[in-house]
Amino acid sequence: MSLAEAAKWGRAEGDGHVFLTIDGEEQPVGQYPGVSTDEALAYFARKYDDVVAQIVLMEHRVESKAPATDMQKTVEHLREQLAERNMVGDIRTAEARLDALAGQISELEKSEKAAHDAARSAELAAREAIVAEAESIASQDPSQVQWKTSSARMNELFESWKTAQKNGIRLGRSNEDALWKRFRSARTVFDRHRRAYFSQLDSTNSAAKVAKEQLIVEAEALSSSTDWGFAAGEYRRLMDQWKATPRASRKDDDALWLRFRAAQDVFFSNRQAANDEIDQQYTANLSVKEELVVEAQALLPITDLNAAKKALQSIRDRWEEAGKVPRADMGRIEAGLRKVEDAVREAEEDKWRRSNPETKARTNSALSQLEAAIAGLREDLEKAEKAGDQRRIKNAREALEAREAWLDQIQRSASDLA
């Protein structure tokens, strides 16, 4: 503040006494002896400037929304300094600025409190979410839990809890204690279920291992059997029992399966080798039967049934004498002969159908009845033509043509039966 400005709000006397003018009245503020009146007035003006400088600093802090902590105390302290009236300056303006600051600080405090309450609510919700998820994991059916995934997640939740407790907003002792008890209880239940599950799993794995080792003993005992049909059936039975037996631990189960499979492989390899040897023996028989199929198929189409039957019987006799063929060729070679056998059978059935006396009798009766009907229709046609009755002529002619067509068809069928 300049000396001229200070002179607006106070004055100094020759003995160093200084006075403040406020609300139109003078009040003594102090004495600064041994100096000029200007120096005495400037001394007390500087005290006012110090207070104003602090007011400006406070205004900047409020404008920048600095933390409001202790701001009201500072305002009150400045008020007290102004109230001591030991300085020279525009006291009322400074007090008004402090009043404005007090209101602004109150609003800032409300805003900070709202932000703090919102952050605290968010922190409480986050802690609640951690606890709720931990309780959800702990409440799962132990037989349905994915233990590796759930254990990892429970550890993540614990780390989240520790981080929140270390760096998060304080929730109050009662809230934090209550949430921690719930979280700790959920972890305890989860750990108890996990221990019980794996203890039971170890027991189940041990029982499964013993059961599967017994199946392996049986499988290995069968591996050298040459009773192919019986042993193959037994292996199917053992496989069904293997599938019905609970799994052991993954490592044990894989090793046990390799032993069980190895015993089967020995048996089936031996059986395949035996079958291959038999198939080699049957290869010569196959050549004989292939020639017989060619000979049988030469009988087609059947023109002389008796000769074909006689030739087919000879082929059948030689077929039986030839013996077995490799299994891979059995279906193909049997189908070749069956084609000829089916053709001979069909020829026999056709011959019987044509020579059946009952069929012939029914056909002859139908011929007689149809011929009589045709003769009658011809007489009706002649009479209609003589009478010139066109309607009767048309009807008689259509009926006659239909009966003659039926007659032609029956005559052809009769010729087949001859």
Side-chain angles (χ1 to χ4, degrees):
M1 179 189 303
S2 67
L3 191 60
E5 182 70 18
K8 293 179 181 180
W9 308 104
R11 67 182 180 83
E13 295 182 341
D15 59 0
H17 281 92
V18 178
F19 297 88
L20 166 69
T21 300
I22 182 169
D23 298 332
E25 296 181 359
E26 281 192 343
Q27 294 184 10
V29 296
Q31 183 183 19
Y32 192 4
V35 298
S36 67
T37 57
D38 287 345
E39 288 177 323
L41 183 61
Y43 172 76
F44 287 100
R46 285 195 295 274
K47 287 188 175 184
Y48 176 79
D49 287 341
D50 289 341
V51 171
V52 170
Q54 293 184 63
I55 291 173
V56 171
L57 177 61
M58 289 293 294
E59 289 172 338
H60 288 322
R61 289 183 64 193
V62 170
E63 184 178 358
S64 64
K65 299 187 184 304
T69 306
D70 294 334
M71 281 189 179
Q72 291 289 14
K73 289 183 179 180
T74 302
V75 168
E76 291 304 317
H77 176 66
L78 293 174
R79 283 185 191 280
E80 291 171 0
Q81 286 182 284
L82 291 174
E84 290 176 1
R85 304 290 192 261
N86 60 356
M87 62 190 70
V88 174
D90 188 355
I91 299 297
R92 295 305 185 199
T93 298
E95 289 175 341
R97 291 172 72 176
L98 286 176
D99 289 342
L101 275 174
Q104 292 170 353
I105 292 169
S106 294
E107 293 300 318
L108 184 60
E109 287 173 339
K110 291 178 182 178
S111 177
E112 287 182 354
K113 184 178 185 304
H116 177 78
D117 289 346
R120 189 170 183 274
S121 296
E123 179 69 19
L124 180 60
R127 297 279 191 98
E128 284 278 4
I130 292 173
V131 173
E133 186 175 353
E135 289 173 337
S136 176
I137 293 173
S139 66
Q140 295 179 91
D141 182 350
S143 65
Q144 303 297 319
V145 174
Q146 297 292 328
W147 290 105
K148 183 176 180 180
T149 302
S150 295
S151 295
R153 183 54 184 158
M154 190 66 86
N155 289 335
E156 289 173 359
L157 292 174
F158 184 48
E159 292 302 317
S160 297
W161 177 275
K162 290 192 295 184
T163 300
Q165 196 171 40
K166 180 179 179 181
N167 302 323
I169 296 174
R170 299 296 92 188
L171 301 177
R173 187 175 185 84
S174 60
N175 281 334
E176 292 197 358
D177 286 350
L179 288 170
W180 168 246
K181 287 178 181 179
R182 287 173 57 194
F183 185 65
R184 182 180 59 192
S185 177
R187 292 181 68 221
T188 300
V189 170
F190 178 79
D191 289 340
R192 183 171 66 249
H193 286 172
R194 182 175 56 186
R195 288 193 298 271
Y197 174 83
F198 282 103
S199 175
Q200 179 60 43
L201 184 62
D202 288 343
S203 177
T204 301
N205 287 344
S206 297
K209 184 178 179 181
V210 170
K212 289 187 173 182
E213 285 176 340
Q214 180 57 43
L215 294 176
I216 291 171
V217 170
E218 294 184 51
E220 289 173 342
L222 285 169
S223 63
S224 60
S225 174
T226 55
D227 189 348
W228 311 119
F230 169 77
E234 286 297 288
Y235 273 117
R236 285 192 294 272
R237 177 183 63 80
L238 292 175
M239 178 60 76
D240 289 341
Q241 291 183 5
W242 184 279
K243 292 178 180 178
T245 303
R247 288 180 60 86
S249 68
R250 182 169 183 174
K251 180 179 179 181
D252 288 340
D253 211 70
D254 289 346
L256 292 167
W257 170 250
L258 290 176
R259 289 174 56 196
F260 183 73
R261 185 62 181 269
Q264 290 186 92
D265 288 345
V266 169
F267 168 77
F268 287 109
S269 294
N270 291 342
R271 188 181 70 169
Q272 185 60 47
N275 288 336
D276 290 344
E277 184 178 351
I278 293 173
D279 284 348
Q280 289 177 2
Q281 296 173 4
Y282 291 164
T283 300
N285 301 345
L286 176 62
S287 298
V288 173
K289 288 195 173 182
E290 285 177 336
E291 292 177 0
L292 291 174
V293 168
V294 172
E295 182 180 343
Q297 291 182 344
L299 299 175
L300 303 178
I302 306 299
T303 55
D304 185 338
L305 179 59
N306 291 331
K309 290 171 63 176
K310 183 176 180 181
L312 181 60
Q313 186 57 50
S314 173
I315 291 170
R316 283 174 174 163
D317 292 341
R318 285 175 286 158
W319 185 277
E320 294 300 326
E321 292 175 0
K324 296 180 179 180
V325 299
R327 287 173 302 157
D329 298 292
M330 188 179 299
R332 175 182 62 85
I333 205 70
E334 293 285 349
L337 182 61
R338 192 180 304 113
K339 179 180 178 181
V340 180
E341 291 175 334
D342 290 345
V344 171
R345 184 174 61 257
E346 289 174 3
E348 286 183 311
E349 291 174 353
D350 184 59
K351 180 180 178 182
W352 165 250
R353 180 175 51 80
R354 288 188 289 106
S355 62
N356 189 340
E358 292 182 2
T359 304
K360 284 185 176 183
R362 287 195 298 270
T363 301
N364 291 335
S365 175
L367 281 170
S368 299
Q369 292 176 12
L370 194 53
E371 287 171 348
I374 288 172
L377 288 171
R378 283 174 179 167
E379 290 179 3
D380 291 343
L381 180 58
E382 289 176 2
K383 292 177 181 178
E385 287 174 342
K386 287 179 181 180
D389 188 337
Q390 294 301 320
R391 186 178 63 80
R392 287 176 59 197
I393 291 172
K394 180 183 177 183
N395 292 339
R397 183 173 290 125
E398 290 177 352
L400 179 60
E401 289 174 355
R403 298 304 191 281
E404 287 176 340
W406 292 346
L407 177 64
D408 180 63
Q409 185 177 356
I410 293 175
Q411 286 175 337
R412 283 200 303 270
S413 297
S415 64
D416 291 339
L417 298 174

